[in-house]
Amino acid sequence: MTTMTTPSNRAMPSTRGMNFFTADANLLRALRAYAEPEDVERALPHLEEVGRCAGEELDELAAIADAHPPVLRTHDRLGQRVDEVVYHPAYVEMQRLGFSKFGFAAMSHRAGVLGWPGRVPHVVKFALSYVFVQSEFGLFCPISMTDSAARVLRMFGSPELQERYVPRLTSTEFSELMQSAQLLTERTGGSDVGASECVARLVDGEWRIWGEKWFCSNAGADVHLALARPAGAPGGTKGLGMFLVPKMLPDGSRNRYIIRRLKEKLGSRSMPTGEYEFEGATGYVVGAIDRGFPQMAEMINVSRLSNGMRAAALMRRSLLEAAVHARGRAAFGRALFELPLVREQLLEMVLDSEAALAIVLFAAQALDRADGGSEHDELVVRITTPLIKYANCRRARWTAGISMNLRGGNGYIEEWVNARLLRDAHLGSIWEGAENVVALDVARAASRNGAHEALFRELESRLDGIRSEEAVSEAAAVRAELARVRRQFERLLAAGEEEREAKMAAMCDRLAAAVCTVLLTAEGDREVRAGDGYGKLLAAREYRRRYLERVDPLEADVAVHRWLGELVDGAPVPASALG
Ligand SMILES: Cc1cc2nc3c(=O)[nH]c(=O)nc-3n(C[C@H](O)[C@H](O)[C@H](O)COP(=O)(O)OP(=O)(O)OC[C@H]3O[C@@H](n4cnc5c(N)ncnc54)[C@H](O)[C@@H]3O)c2cc1C
C-alpha cells in the first residue's frame, strides 16, 4: 500500500489509480484460508482485474453516478403513464461492469462465468464483490437482489417460472438481462412484516395484487418478488404469499402498478429506491402460497450476508483512504502516519477491517458447504448471517467516520470518497433488518434452531486445527474466552424475555468478537506456517485483548504500534513482535 508521495503539509494524497486488490495483501491471504487452492489460483486474474477497475474507471463512474441520481419519468409526451427510471450513463456503465463484465449476479447460478468450469463458489464471489464494492456500494443492492431472486426461484419456483425468468436474471448479456427487486416493507412496518396490508385476489384464475409498498430499491426493475396476503388468509407472517410481479405482461402491456415517487436518500444515491402502488397487478405465485415469508427469508438472508460483505468492503476502503492520506500528508514536521494517536486509530481500523473480512469469508465458505448438503454448515450460516449483518454494519459506521476525520476538512467534502463511504455505511444498519431486529434474530437462530451449538462446535474445531507453536499458546487463551462467551450466551438464552432482548445487542458484540478472534487466530496460524510472518497472529492477539477481553485502553501496551506499517502493508512481522 506504500505510496511514493513525500509527506508534506500541502499534499492531498489520493487512492485513484491504485489497484485495490494488489494493494491489499490481507485479502489474498485470508482467501487462501477459506477457499480451495485451485479456486484461489483461478480467481487471481479476476481479482486483479476487479482491483484495477475499482481503483480506476469504477471509482470515477461511482462518483459521477452518486452526484447524478436516477430520476423518475412518470408520463410520456402523450400523457401516458410510463414510470420509467432514467439513469445517468455512468450508472449504466457500472451496470455493464457489474452484471456483464464480472457477472456477479450470474456466477452462483451458471457454469462458465469468468471462464469458471462450474459455478463460482460463494467464497470467491464474496472476495471479488468485496473489491468491487470498495468503489461502488449502491449498485450492489440490485446485483444482490437479482442474484438472490434467481436463487429463490431455483429453490421454490415452478418449472415454468424458472424457465421463463432464471436464464434472464442470470444473463451476462446486458441486452438480455432482467433485474429483480424485493418488496416487503409497507408503511405498517419493515420489521413487523406480518402487519402488511397488501392483498392478493384470484381474478379469472390469475392472482392480482392491490396495495402499497413503501420501499422498493432498484425501482423500475424487470421483476419484483413481493409479499402479499391472499384474501381470507390468516394474519401475521403465516398468511403471506410470495408473488413474482413482472414489469411487463406476456402480451407486451405494462403490469398494473405505478411507481409513485423516488425517495431522496442520504446514501446509496446512484441506485433508485421508490414507492409502489399496486392496482390489481398480476403476480405469479412462487412456491407454496402459504410459505411466502419463509421463502422470502431465504432471499433476505442472502442479502444480509451480502450486506455484511459490503460493510467489510466499506471498512477496507476507509482504511485504505486513511493510510494513504496519513502517509502522504504531514503536520508538525512529521507524516500523520508517524503521530502516535493517528497510529492508534489506524491500528484499530486494521483490526476491524481484517476481522470483518474474516467473518464474511467464513460465512461464505459455510454457505458453499451448506449448498453442498451440510446441515451443520446450514446452521452455522443461519446464526452467522444476522450476526455479521449486525456487527460488520455497525462497525463500518465508526470506521468510515474515523477515516473521514483523518482526512480532515477534505474528508467532509464530496469531491473525496469519505462522505460517500460514511453515508453508505449508515444504510447497511437499516435495510434488510434494522440493527435491533438482526440482533434478536441471532437469539432466534439459537433458541429455535440450536444454531449456536453448531457455531461453537465449528469455532472449537478451528482452534483444534491450529499447529504452529506460537499460535497454539495463543489458541489456549482464545479457548478460555470462547468458553466464557458461550456460558454468557447460554445464560442469556435462558433468561426472561425482558432481559434477553435488552442485552442482545451487547451479546452480539461479544459473540462477534469471539468469532472474529478465533478466525484471526486460525488465519494467523496458517500464515505462520505458510512463511508469511507473524503479523496476523499479532493482529489476532491485539483484537482479542481489545474486543473480547476488553482490556482498559489506559492500561494497554502500545508496543504493537511499532508494527503498524507492516500490518497495514501485510509485510512480514518477526516472531519477536509477539514478545
Ligand atoms: C434506502 C432504503 C432502501 C430500502 N429498500 C427496500 C426494499 O427494496 N425492499 C423492502 O422491502 N424494504 C426496503 N427498505 C426498507 C427497510 O428494510 C426498512 O426500513 C427496515 O427494515 C426497517 O423497517 P421500518 O422502516 O418500518 O422501521 P420499523 O420496523 O418501524 O423499525 C424502527 C426501529 O424499531 C426497531 N425495532 C423494530 N422492532 C423491534 C424489536 N422487536 N425490538 C427492538 N427494536 C425493534 C428497529 O430496529 C428500528 O430501529 C429500504 C430502506 C431504505 C432506507
Side-chain angles (χ1 to χ4, degrees):
M1 195 196 276
T2 11
T3 54
M4 301 308 288
T5 335
T6 310
S8 95
N9 277 51
R10 298 189 65 83
M12 294 188 184
S14 157
T15 58
R16 184 64 58 80
M18 290 176 76
N19 183 313
F20 288 180
F21 170 65
T22 54
D24 183 358
N26 179 57
L27 173 55
L28 182 56
R29 288 188 192 151
L31 186 60
R32 289 194 195 286
Y34 301 96
E36 296 300 327
E38 62 274 19
D39 287 328
V40 177
E41 294 316 308
R42 213 175 273 130
L44 267 174
H46 305 296
L47 284 162
E48 286 207 30
E49 178 53 13
V50 181
R52 184 207 60 71
C53 180
E56 295 179 9
E57 67 263 32
L58 183 62
D59 202 37
E60 283 181 38
L61 293 166
I64 298 169
D66 182 65
H68 300 90
V71 291
L72 178 65
R73 182 172 163 256
T74 52
H75 295 82
D76 68 8
R77 62 184 178 169
L78 301 177
Q80 287 168 333
R81 193 95 206 188
V82 286
D83 289 343
E84 185 193 348
V85 177
V86 184
Y87 300 99
H88 190 278
Y91 185 79
V92 178
E93 192 48 38
M94 291 200 297
Q95 287 180 315
R96 282 182 199 281
L97 291 172
F99 283 102
S100 294
K101 176 170 176 172
F102 297 118
F104 286 117
M107 61 175 64
S108 298
H109 307 285
R110 7 171 119 214
V113 177
L114 301 180
W116 223 267
R119 291 175 187 154
V120 175
H122 291 292
V123 67
V124 171
K125 178 175 72 176
F126 275 73
L128 291 164
S129 313
Y130 171 78
V131 182
F132 188 95
V133 171
Q134 287 177 40
S135 285
E136 170 57 11
F137 174 90
L139 172 64
F140 233 81
C141 165
I143 289 177
S144 167
M145 285 195 300
T146 304
D147 178 8
S148 51
R151 181 177 170 93
V152 165
L153 286 179
R154 285 179 47 219
M155 290 173 93
F156 309 111
S158 64
E160 299 89 294
L161 273 188
Q162 291 196 32
E163 204 176 308
R164 198 176 327 153
Y165 292 107
V166 173
R168 296 199 55 192
L169 288 167
T170 61
S171 177
T172 52
E173 278 300 324
F174 199 60
S175 57
E176 288 289 307
L177 174 71
M178 278 187 161
Q179 294 184 35
S180 179
Q182 163 198 318
L183 292 167
L184 289 92
T185 309
E186 301 183 12
R187 276 183 216 240
T188 47
S191 313
D192 189 3
V193 177
S196 66
E197 294 172 344
C198 269
V199 63
R201 292 196 180 87
L202 264 179
V203 178
D204 298 332
E206 177 181 275
W207 285 100
R208 306 272 292 273
I209 302 171
W210 283 265
E212 176 200 74
K213 292 287 177 184
W214 189 234
F215 279 96
C216 174
S217 289
N218 203 18
D222 306 288
V223 301
H224 313 77
L225 291 185
L227 292 182
R229 193 180 312 282
T237 50
K238 284 200 172 74
L240 294 170
M242 180 192 262
F243 298 88
L244 185 151
V245 181
K247 178 170 163 178
M248 306 302 292
L249 296 174
D251 65 3
S253 62
R254 284 182 62 239
N255 204 349
R256 291 165 294 274
Y257 62 80
I258 60 168
I259 304 177
R260 207 159 41 199
R261 59 173 173 156
L262 298 187
K263 311 256 197 198
E264 279 204 30
K265 294 178 286 180
L266 177 67
S268 187
R269 293 205 299 223
S270 61
M271 182 273 299
T273 300
E275 291 166 19
Y276 272 50
E277 222 170 284
F278 293 125
E279 303 169 324
T282 295
Y284 308 120
V285 177
V286 178
I289 186 93
D290 59 348
R291 300 273 308 153
F293 188 72
Q295 290 171 188
M296 188 60 99
E298 181 64 34
M299 186 167 188
I300 295 171
N301 280 332
V302 175
S303 300
R304 283 182 177 171
L305 203 46
S306 170
N307 264 289
M309 173 277 292
R310 283 176 246 167
L314 294 178
M315 287 157 87
R316 167 65 203 169
R317 179 73 190 266
S318 298
L319 165 64
L320 181 67
E321 293 298 316
V324 166
H325 179 78
R327 278 180 159 147
R329 178 98 176 162
F332 306 102
R334 293 157 86 187
L336 297 180
F337 199 86
E338 301 306 323
L339 302 174
L341 196 44
V342 172
R343 291 175 82 74
E344 168 60 22
Q345 288 168 320
L346 287 170
L347 177 66
E348 205 147 288
M349 293 171 86
V350 170
L351 301 180
D352 281 328
S353 61
E354 292 190 358
L357 178 64
I359 194 168
V360 163
L361 294 179
F362 168 73
Q365 181 189 44
L367 185 60
D368 280 318
R369 291 175 177 169
D371 281 357
S374 160
E375 287 175 16
H376 164 79
D377 287 286
E378 205 176 305
L379 289 170
V380 172
V381 174
R382 171 67 190 92
I383 191 165
T384 313
T385 298
L387 186 65
I388 289 180
K389 168 75 167 64
Y390 169 88
N392 279 9
C393 295
R394 172 174 255 212
R395 204 59 189 163
R397 285 156 28 202
W398 183 89
T399 310
I402 290 293
S403 180
M404 170 181 274
N405 201 284
L406 280 173
R407 183 160 259 136
N410 283 352
Y412 202 69
I413 300 305
E414 291 284 353
E415 285 163 330
W416 299 85
V417 75
N418 298 84
R420 181 153 52 92
L421 294 175
L422 186 71
R423 290 189 274 106
D424 290 343
H426 276 268
L427 181 52
S429 290
I430 295 176
W431 65 6
E432 302 288 354
E435 196 167 275
N436 294 349
V437 170
V438 287
L440 295 178
D441 194 40
V442 170
R444 203 171 303 117
S447 54
R448 282 199 195 157
N449 308 97
H452 62 301
E453 308 268 357
L455 177 62
F456 284 115
R457 222 173 23 252
E458 182 61 37
L459 296 174
E460 275 151 21
S461 97
R462 302 253 165 170
L463 290 175
D464 290 344
I466 285 176
R467 291 282 169 271
S468 70
E469 192 187 326
E470 296 79 0
V472 165
S473 67
E474 191 56 31
V478 178
R479 210 183 285 280
E481 285 298 315
L482 186 64
R484 185 172 62 89
V485 172
R486 184 175 188 153
R487 283 194 300 276
Q488 288 173 327
F489 191 77
E490 286 172 349
R491 205 178 306 131
L492 195 56
L493 282 183
E497 186 176 302
E498 182 79 24
E499 184 184 355
R500 188 175 64 241
E501 293 203 2
K503 292 183 177 168
M504 206 52 213
M507 189 68 246
C508 285
D509 284 329
R510 199 67 55 83
L511 183 60
V515 176
C516 291
T517 303
V518 171
L519 298 176
L520 290 175
T521 308
E523 285 181 31
D525 171 58
R526 204 186 168 284
E527 291 187 17
V528 168
R529 287 187 284 125
D532 290 330
Y534 292 78
K536 181 59 70 62
L537 209 49
L538 183 66
R541 188 177 71 184
E542 197 57 27
Y543 187 90
R544 167 172 60 81
R545 287 179 177 170
R546 287 172 184 239
Y547 296 114
L548 198 52
E549 290 174 11
R550 299 181 170 229
V551 170
D552 182 345
L554 297 182
E555 306 295 328
D557 183 358
V558 295
V560 61
H561 285 190
R562 149 82 183 78
W563 302 103
L564 178 69
E566 286 77 1
L567 292 178
V568 166
D569 292 329
V573 169
S576 58
L578 293 168

